[in-house]
Amino acid sequence: MSDDRLIVALDLPNVLDGLELAKTLGDSVSFYKIGLGMLTGGGLALANELKQEHGKRIFLDMKFFDIGATVEAAVRGVAQFDLDFLTVHGDPHVVRAAREGAGGSDMKILAVTILTSLDRDDLDASCIKAGDVADLVQERAGTALSNGADGVIASPQEAALIRALPEAEGKLIVTPGVRPAGAALGDQKRVMTPAQAIANGADHVVVGRPIWQADSPKAAAQGILAELASPQAKTPNH
Ligand code: C5P
């Protein structure tokens, strides 16, 4: 059995390349994230194929945000498929609507707090209230979890702050912005290694480019899996 704490982001240009990568990674990877970039190119069909025909777990990263009725309808639509994680923005009305739309399905609703690409200047430009970004992330995470989210998306730096919240007891923390030591950062600014993210309280790490852009994606994935199996990736008691 492969370690499903590693989620590979399939941010490839098209579905055929995505399927090819999944085949290359084979049994070493059991969990994939499919996002908006692939939506119009058959991303949902790929999600279903990987789930139904290859037995993979699927994280559909749609980051829904709209009026409650629309979010509820969209999530109800996705919940017909047997997928594992779905993202929505962490605003209370969005999370409550998503919870309603998910009904009795096993699909986990994960809330986005504040996108890790945004800094204080960006938040000012969007008229988001004053305060330290980390404090706002923690507050939004607590609100999303108390409104019914099954977990949150957070940078590895934020994971420990969120894990400390009483509302986070038994909830999932999923962290992108993870880089094995020595890997290129790309546009990620605040990164940690997979082991550090897990030690900070993350349940899953999402890794994209360090795997799919590697000369040997399989070797890159196996390197990360070895790191996750090391004592440095010890999960804290929570
Ligand atoms: O290639 P890389 O490892 O940076 O990919 C990270 C994945 O996680 C991408 O699919 C990106 O869209 C997603 N993501 C992120 N930061 C967030 C939320 C999602 O990097 N805050």
Side-chain angles (χ1 to χ4, degrees), residues 119-202:
D119 60 18
R120 187 58 255 181
D121 287 344
D122 298 312
L123 300 185
D124 288 344
S126 296
C127 309
I128 307 282
K129 79 171 183 181
D132 185 55
V133 178
D135 293 340
L136 297 183
V137 164
Q138 196 185 29
E139 191 177 336
R140 267 176 75 83
T143 304
L145 292 169
S146 57
N147 277 279
D150 297 300
V152 294
I153 309 297
S155 78
Q157 281 87 352
E158 296 155 356
L161 280 176
I162 294 170
R163 188 47 82 201
L165 291 170
E167 295 92 332
E169 171 110 41
K171 303 288 179 138
L172 294 164
I173 300 178
V174 177
T175 59
V178 170
R179 289 288 177 271
L185 298 189
D187 52 5
Q188 298 286 6
K189 289 175 189 145
R190 295 175 297 131
V191 302
M192 283 190 176
T193 66
Q196 286 169 328
I198 298 289
N200 268 5

